[in-house]
Amino acid sequence: MRLQRLRNSKRFSGPSGPAIGLLALAIAWAPMPTQSQDTTPAPPTATETPSDADRGTRFPESLDQPRNLARDRYVDRQRATLEMWRLRKQSRQAVQDAARHPDPEVAERAAWILKQWRSASLPGVAQGPAELLLDRGSPSALASVMEQGAFDAVLVAVEESAGTIEFDQIKQRVVTLLSQRYPFYCDKAFAAGTEADLLNLLDAVAIDRNVATAWHDLKRYLHPAQPKSTNDIEPLPSADQLPSAASLWSPAERATCLAQFAMLRGDVEQSIAHARAAGDPVVLRIARMLGDRWQEIADDAFESAASAATPDARIEAYAWALAATARTGDQVRFDRAQSQLLAIQPDEPDAIDDLRWRALAMHARIDEAIDVMAARDPAAAAKIACAASRFRRAEQLCGYPLEQIASDLDGWIKDAYIDQANLPAGSIAPSIERLYSLARLLVNIGDTDNAQRIYRRLTPRQVIISPYGASLREQTLVELDLINRFDWMLDIAVAAGENAMTQRSQYIIAQALNTESEAFRKVLDRIKLIRPAHDFRKRFRITFQLFRGKQPDGFGDSDDFESLLELLLHDEQSKRSGGRTLQVEQISLDLDIVDMFIRQGRVELAREGLAALTRARELDALISSAETESEQGDNRAAEGLWQQVARQSAQYTPTNALITVDHGLSYAKSIVGSWILAKRAGHREIAEQLESRLRLMLTSPSMNFRKELADHLRDTGQHELAVEALRDLAVSASFGGDDAPDFFRVAVTYVGLIDDLKETHPVALDELQIDSYDAVKWSDLAVLGLLKTSRYHDTAFISVPLSVRKTFLQHAIETADETLARHAIDQIESYDPMNIDYGERMLPELRKAGLDQLADSAFDRLMDHGLEQIRRYRTDATTLNNLAWAAAMNERRLDEALELSERAVLLEPDSVIYRDTLAEVLYLLGRTEEALAIESACLLDEPDEWHLHEQIEKYRKLLQPDRKN
């Protein structure tokens, strides 16, 4: 009825004709020949003359009155509609008023205008695919407008949706697009000079702190020096300004964001003040940590512990009290916090127990941490003890006396299976877990035969030990992966007679081999075609060794590899179409398999496979080919490939409009590649432009994209830009939030980049105003980021803090700070008194820094502890060799080193590594001819080992003058 009344309206009369909507007219901005048959107004008809159309159509200078849509002549109403749509700033209020007008035609015209605005349909925004643009209400249509770089039009859609039920949905849709496609949008803005429009859009859709951070950083990008007012860009905001959309946030969210922004500009006091206003003790603690306010953290932690309402809150408070007092040097309060963490209560939840032992372990209280963990889980505590070279303690926790292992091991395993049988499916018996710990201990002390016996016995697939369906064999595979025993994994993954493996087992194997499960499966399937007579176990072993880079038994000549590549490049698959089954050829090769060919030394086949993937326009292959051409110096070919990467990754069609998950990393990589080429060719202006584009991309609202791009910059040697990106990202990630990357990984990568710059371009650290102590500070903070995470294995709470103490020691060596060096060495010895890396690598550097006495005493403690260990575990060839090598690197106690090395070689005479150590010790003792003879024999076993060639050359040069004499 309503449509009929509109058709009968005097002002809506006009010739009839085919139905053509005004929406299509507005998009195309072209006159149409006939009037619509629906409620959408139509343009002037072909029967009206220009004079008719122009008569009485002089519009008032202002379009701020709804009456413009109610003019007498149809052509006037039509022109008014289009003018008010086009001139939004002048007509916005009038259109909103007209939408509530009592005249149905006026209201309908206003509603049409509002719909166009809310759909980002503005004059000139009509270059997208028609199938997207014709449905302006769909997510794809909004995406199409974004793809054009019409950020001002999208901003109109956001503003006009305010107050409607679609407001939050539209903002979320825009944020999703920005997070996924930001690098491409940045280039659109850069090319058109519309960065300010992009900034305004971020301002309007800042639904969370990530988008606000992008807005903040884009502001800084547009105002790199002093704030300047221009016609297009507003002056740099005051310190406490947030994006306008943040007005809808809670006060706590705004305060947290302001705390982050203040810390980014280095204003610690303001950051702490805002963090306090947020009312969140975690945010306040983060701000204080970044500002080195450990005394304040300690005071608050003890106060919080005293007033805590729950046990977990109290223990967490004491954990932070321990962390803070460890950094202030307040030993009295440190001991107080430690005593509370050691006071275990019966039946505590695992989470509280984890807080206790982790806090202790992270602060070099290893024995105490082991005691806390042992009260709940002796098997897990035994593994921690192994990681800290406390093998006697690990033996006690396992509960299996080593002196009885030869006679009783089979009985222990049998008893453990009885315990397991008495448990419901989905649980693991503590005695089974202690056997795993015993095997770990045996590996560490060199008793690999008995360790392998245990692992081989713990392999039944039918024994389910977790609620998620994991079997005992899968758990054994995980254990072997953790200790890098790939040869043992190969033996137990598939038993004789089995014709398949579980998907979970295949995933574990692939992860261990540093490849993808799907790549492993593809090769395994093709091996069946090449070796049809082999059973599944043989085919699995061939595939395993191929990805491992070892020569498989019964596979390996040129024909085998060529056949494998051919099958992967021409893979016939059955496909149903129209009721028929068709054979379709496709490429099953991928880059992981290409890497497998390289590991096997089949470089030409790898190159052929990569070329095929590149011809197929596989994006990762294009990137790999571009990097290869760049490394080989073919700049023209590399640039052509980078342009292909850019075009392909920037594609956006109706097919992928709703499902795209690409956040633009591939596109950004293409810009990095072109940037490197431009710098190499000396095209300074082009290189500067490309760098500006990358800096613009690094203002992305996706923090994970920033991390991934920074990683890529580091991988390609662009350390300075990478370190700038990570310096800010480390601050932002520390405050957490949705989409925030793992703070530990960000901080560790940042520290690694600082170390890279120290080696490659130390002047850059001064130019970037990065203090050399930053590596120490951020590595220390990174450890604290592990306290409550479940992402890492328990042994990480030994290895990670130990690595940080080595960073402390490295800084002490660089600054010749004896006090810091002494403190770092004390803590290193607490974590692992047998840490050979520190002994062989860092103690010689300590001597070069003039701290000989400190280095000598530290080495003697390391050596004495090692000698004590091998007196108990006499067959530990690894420790024998490591002690001898450390002695050689320090050139101390060489007579003892010779005895240790000879024992290691006696235990494992086929080991090239152990014989190489013996040669070096003999050389240092002046027995160079013997050293050369041993090293030459090693070369026969490992002809591709470059270290052996270097050692032989060193020995020969020393012998030549003697032979001449």
Side-chain angles (χ1 to χ4, degrees):
M1 291 296 295
R2 184 167 179 263
L3 290 179
Q4 187 61 42
R5 285 197 298 271
L6 285 175
R7 289 194 182 101
N8 295 335
S9 169
K10 178 181 178 181
R11 290 196 303 274
F12 198 72
S13 62
S16 62
I20 298 176
L22 183 56
L23 172 56
L25 164 72
I27 294 173
W29 199 246
M32 305 296 286
T34 57
Q35 179 187 349
S36 173
Q37 293 298 300
D38 60 17
T39 60
T40 306
T45 68
T47 59
E48 290 184 289
T49 65
S51 58
D52 292 333
D54 291 339
R55 190 178 299 121
T57 60
R58 184 179 298 278
F59 294 108
E61 292 183 0
S62 174
L63 295 176
D64 61 357
Q65 297 299 322
R67 65 173 180 269
N68 286 308
L69 298 178
R71 298 178 66 83
D72 291 335
R73 292 176 54 80
Y74 171 78
V75 68
D76 296 340
R77 299 193 303 276
Q78 194 75 339
R79 290 184 178 182
T81 301
L82 296 177
E83 282 296 298
M84 294 179 81
W85 165 64
R86 186 172 64 85
L87 302 174
R88 174 176 172 270
K89 288 185 178 180
Q90 295 95 315
S91 65
R92 186 183 185 195
Q93 185 59 52
V95 172
Q96 291 175 346
D97 293 341
R100 298 183 293 273
H101 199 278
D103 187 318
E105 183 186 350
V106 172
E108 193 72 16
R109 288 179 178 276
W112 178 87
I113 295 172
L114 290 173
K115 180 181 179 182
Q116 305 315 301
W117 289 344
R118 290 169 186 168
S119 301
S121 174
L122 294 179
V125 185
Q127 290 77 41
E131 58 267 47
L132 294 184
L133 291 169
L134 288 176
D135 183 8
R136 282 288 175 175
S138 72
S140 301
L142 189 60
S144 180
V145 178
M146 290 284 287
E147 291 300 304
Q148 297 175 50
F151 308 118
D152 53 345
V154 179
L155 178 61
V156 168
V158 173
E159 292 175 345
E160 290 302 328
S161 67
T164 72
I165 59 174
E166 296 180 338
F167 185 45
D168 291 337
Q169 181 184 7
I170 287 177
K171 287 196 297 182
Q172 182 61 65
R173 192 182 304 158
V174 172
V175 169
T176 299
L177 290 167
L178 285 167
S179 298
Q180 294 173 346
R181 302 279 292 166
Y182 194 77
F184 182 66
Y185 298 155
C186 284
D187 264 4
K188 285 284 186 181
F190 189 90
T194 56
E195 296 96 326
D197 291 340
L198 180 58
L199 179 67
N200 291 334
L201 181 59
L202 289 168
D203 179 68
V205 300
I207 59 175
D208 58 30
R209 192 152 27 94
N210 289 332
V211 185
T213 302
W215 171 85
H216 171 272
D217 293 347
L218 184 52
K219 280 273 190 183
R220 289 197 304 178
Y221 171 88
L222 296 174
H223 303 271
Q226 294 297 321
K228 296 179 181 179
S229 297
T230 68
N231 294 330
D232 297 323
I233 302 174
E234 297 177 0
L236 195 63
S238 63
D240 290 346
Q241 188 173 342
L242 290 172
S244 59
S247 62
L248 301 176
W249 298 1
S250 69
E253 289 173 324
R254 291 196 296 272
T256 300
C257 193
L258 288 170
Q260 177 185 322
F261 289 177
M263 193 61 71
L264 283 168
R265 64 176 181 270
D267 192 338
V268 175
E269 293 296 339
Q270 277 294 310
S271 180
I272 292 175
H274 287 306
R276 188 178 289 110
D280 185 340
V282 175
V283 174
L284 180 57
R285 184 175 65 238
I286 290 168
R288 285 170 168 168
M289 285 169 57
L290 296 180
D292 291 325
R293 302 298 176 83
W294 294 106
Q295 186 64 51
E296 296 173 21
I297 294 174
D299 294 342
D300 268 10
F302 280 107
E303 184 178 334
S304 298
S307 61
T310 60
D312 55 335
R314 185 173 65 84
I315 296 305
E316 183 173 358
Y318 278 122
W320 285 109
L322 189 81
T325 52
R327 287 158 179 80
T328 61
D330 188 341
Q331 190 63 45
V332 173
R333 293 211 292 178
F334 180 91
D335 292 342
R336 177 183 161 195
Q338 176 178 287
S339 66
Q340 292 294 325
L341 293 172
L342 289 170
I344 307 170
Q345 301 302 313
D347 301 322
E348 277 187 334
D350 290 351
I352 295 179
D353 187 66
D354 286 341
L355 279 172
R356 290 181 185 277
W357 77 261
R358 286 178 177 183
L360 291 165
M362 289 161 61
H363 295 93
R365 295 301 185 266
I366 306 304
D367 295 313
E368 294 83 353
I370 292 172
D371 290 341
V372 170
M373 180 180 261
R376 182 194 76 191
D377 190 344
K383 291 178 180 177
I384 294 293
C386 285
S389 296
R390 287 156 168 80
F391 301 129
R392 180 60 180 156
R393 181 75 172 113
E395 180 183 347
Q396 295 168 350
L397 290 166
C398 288
Y400 299 115
L402 293 185
E403 59 271 14
Q404 300 175 21
I405 195 167
S407 59
D408 294 351
L409 179 57
D410 289 337
W412 296 341
I413 296 174
K414 181 179 179 181
D415 291 342
Y417 270 117
I418 293 173
D419 294 341
Q420 183 65 41
N422 291 325
L423 292 176
S427 303
I428 183 169
S431 51
I432 293 282
E433 292 189 295
R434 288 189 289 109
L435 281 174
Y436 279 126
S437 297
L438 174 61
R440 180 82 61 91
L441 169 63
L442 293 172
V443 169
N444 276 276
I445 62 174
D447 189 355
T448 55
D449 290 340
N450 282 315
Q452 195 170 10
R453 285 175 63 194
I454 294 173
Y455 287 126
R456 283 177 172 169
R457 294 283 298 276
L458 301 180
T459 57
R461 294 192 300 179
Q462 67 273 20
V463 178
I464 304 303
I465 59 160
S466 85
Y468 306 104
S471 68
L472 195 61
R473 182 184 299 181
E474 288 161 353
Q475 180 59 36
T476 299
L477 290 173
V478 171
E479 292 282 337
L480 293 175
D481 181 24
L482 291 173
I483 60 173
N484 297 319
R485 287 290 177 168
F486 302 117
D487 47 346
W488 296 357
M489 293 182 77
L490 174 63
D491 287 337
I492 72 166
V494 178
E498 293 179 348
N499 57 11
M501 67 189 309
T502 66
Q503 187 174 355
R504 184 183 284 110
S505 292
Q506 185 171 294
Y507 174 80
I508 295 168
I509 292 292
Q511 289 291 104
L513 296 172
N514 195 28
T515 191
E516 293 296 326
S517 181
E518 182 63 12
F520 190 90
R521 183 197 62 77
K522 289 176 181 178
V523 173
L524 181 59
D525 289 347
R526 274 68 190 176
I527 296 298
K528 182 177 182 179
L529 299 175
I530 300 173
R531 293 286 188 274
H534 284 6
D535 62 17
F536 180 78
R537 188 167 192 264
K538 287 182 179 179
R539 298 197 302 270
F540 167 80
R541 294 175 69 86
I542 290 173
T543 306
F544 187 101
Q545 294 291 64
L546 286 174
F547 278 98
R548 191 182 175 191
K550 301 291 185 179
Q551 179 70 43
D553 293 333
F555 187 99
D557 60 31
S558 297
D559 290 342
D560 288 336
F561 283 103
E562 289 173 4
S563 297
L564 179 57
L565 180 62
E566 183 71 15
L567 288 169
L568 290 163
L569 289 177
H570 305 285
D571 183 20
E572 289 194 355
Q573 297 287 331
S574 298
K575 183 178 180 181
R576 295 285 296 177
S577 177
R580 295 183 302 167
T581 300
L582 304 177
Q583 293 298 116
V584 179
E585 186 175 281
Q586 63 182 28
I587 296 178
S588 291
L589 188 71
D590 59 34
L591 288 185
D592 287 299
I593 301 176
V594 170
D595 288 341
M596 180 271 292
F597 280 106
I598 294 173
R599 293 179 203 174
Q600 289 292 329
R602 307 290 171 167
V603 179
E604 289 303 319
L605 294 179
R607 186 177 290 115
E608 181 182 341
L610 182 60
L613 290 172
T614 302
R615 288 192 299 271
R617 300 177 64 84
E618 202 276 333
L619 192 57
D620 288 338
L622 284 169
I623 293 172
S624 181
S625 294
E627 290 173 340
T628 300
E629 297 294 349
S630 181
E631 290 169 1
Q632 294 178 351
D634 191 341
N635 291 1
R636 182 183 295 276
E639 181 57 31
L641 287 165
W642 284 128
Q643 289 177 7
Q644 285 189 55
V645 172
R647 287 193 299 270
Q648 188 163 325
S649 58
Q651 287 177 357
Y652 196 87
T653 67
T655 303
N656 67 10
L658 297 177
I659 61 173
T660 180
V661 295
D662 177 28
H663 55 26
L665 183 61
S666 297
Y667 186 81
K669 285 182 177 181
S670 73
I671 306 304
V672 173
S674 297
W675 179 42
I676 293 172
L677 294 176
K679 290 195 295 181
R680 183 186 300 167
H683 299 318
R684 182 174 179 180
E685 185 176 342
I686 295 175
E688 289 176 352
Q689 184 187 75
L690 290 165
E691 182 179 348
S692 293
R693 290 163 64 184
L694 287 169
R695 289 182 180 277
L696 182 57
M697 293 175 190
L698 283 166
T699 65
S700 170
S702 171
M703 299 298 114
N704 279 309
F705 166 78
R706 296 193 192 195
K707 171 64 166 60
E708 290 173 342
L709 180 53
D711 287 342
H712 180 70
L713 288 166
R714 183 187 185 187
D715 292 342
T716 54
Q718 311 309 305
H719 296 150
E720 293 176 56
L721 184 54
V723 82
E724 287 186 66
L726 284 169
R727 176 174 54 188
D728 286 353
L729 185 59
V731 173
S732 298
S734 66
F735 281 89
D738 296 335
D739 188 47
D742 181 20
F743 169 69
F744 170 75
R745 293 185 182 278
V746 172
V748 167
T749 306
Y750 177 53
V751 171
L753 273 166
I754 292 175
D755 291 339
D756 291 344
L757 279 176
K758 286 179 182 177
E759 295 181 7
T760 61
H761 192 189
V763 177
L765 292 176
D766 294 331
E767 294 173 350
L768 296 170
Q769 298 181 336
I770 295 176
D771 193 300
S772 61
Y773 189 73
D774 265 15
V776 175
K777 171 186 173 178
W778 284 100
S779 59
D780 188 33
L781 291 176
V783 175
L784 295 175
L786 297 178
L787 182 60
K788 296 185 70 176
T789 184
S790 58
R791 297 179 182 177
Y792 303 97
H793 293 286
D794 290 343
T795 53
F797 294 90
I798 301 296
S799 59
V800 173
L802 173 60
S803 177
V804 170
R805 270 52 183 191
K806 291 179 184 178
T807 302
F808 279 38
L809 181 57
Q810 187 63 46
H811 183 74
I813 291 171
E814 292 169 358
T815 57
D817 186 336
E818 183 174 357
T819 301
L820 178 59
R822 192 179 301 278
H823 178 68
I825 288 172
D826 287 344
Q827 293 208 322
I828 289 171
E829 291 175 347
S830 295
Y831 282 107
D832 183 1
M834 280 292 300
N835 189 261
I836 297 300
D837 171 71
Y838 136 83
E840 71 181 39
R841 181 175 59 85
M842 304 194 78
L843 292 183
E845 292 182 19
L846 199 61
R847 289 190 184 85
K848 293 178 183 177
L851 301 174
D852 300 65
Q853 186 175 356
L854 185 59
D856 290 345
S857 60
F859 172 76
D860 285 338
R861 288 193 298 274
L862 173 69
M863 193 73 166
D864 292 342
H865 191 93
L867 291 173
E868 181 182 350
Q869 176 176 312
I870 61 176
R871 277 193 290 270
R872 178 167 182 80
Y873 308 112
R874 301 186 60 81
T875 60
D876 186 358
T878 299
T879 298
L880 288 166
N881 176 76
N882 288 346
L883 286 173
W885 183 256
M889 294 301 96
N890 284 272
E891 299 186 22
R892 287 180 55 80
R893 299 175 67 163
L894 294 176
D895 290 334
E896 293 171 278
L898 178 61
E899 180 185 352
L900 296 172
S901 184
E902 288 175 337
R903 286 175 59 186
V905 171
L906 184 64
L907 288 168
E908 295 191 28
D910 293 333
S911 171
V912 170
I913 294 174
Y914 295 174
R915 285 182 284 153
D916 172 63
T917 299
L918 177 58
E920 184 67 11
V921 173
L922 289 169
Y923 155 72
L924 291 170
L925 287 169
R927 297 162 62 177
T928 309
E929 289 192 2
E930 294 175 71
L932 179 59
I934 292 173
E935 208 73 73
S936 299
C938 289
L939 193 62
L940 295 175
D941 295 331
E942 296 285 352
D944 296 329
E945 181 58 56
W946 187 248
H947 167 75
L948 299 178
H949 291 275
E950 292 179 322
Q951 291 290 87
I952 288 173
E953 182 66 18
K954 179 175 71 174
Y955 301 154
R956 282 176 175 166
K957 284 184 178 179
L958 184 66
L959 289 172
Q960 283 174 354
D962 293 338
R963 287 173 177 169
K964 288 179 180 179
N965 292 333

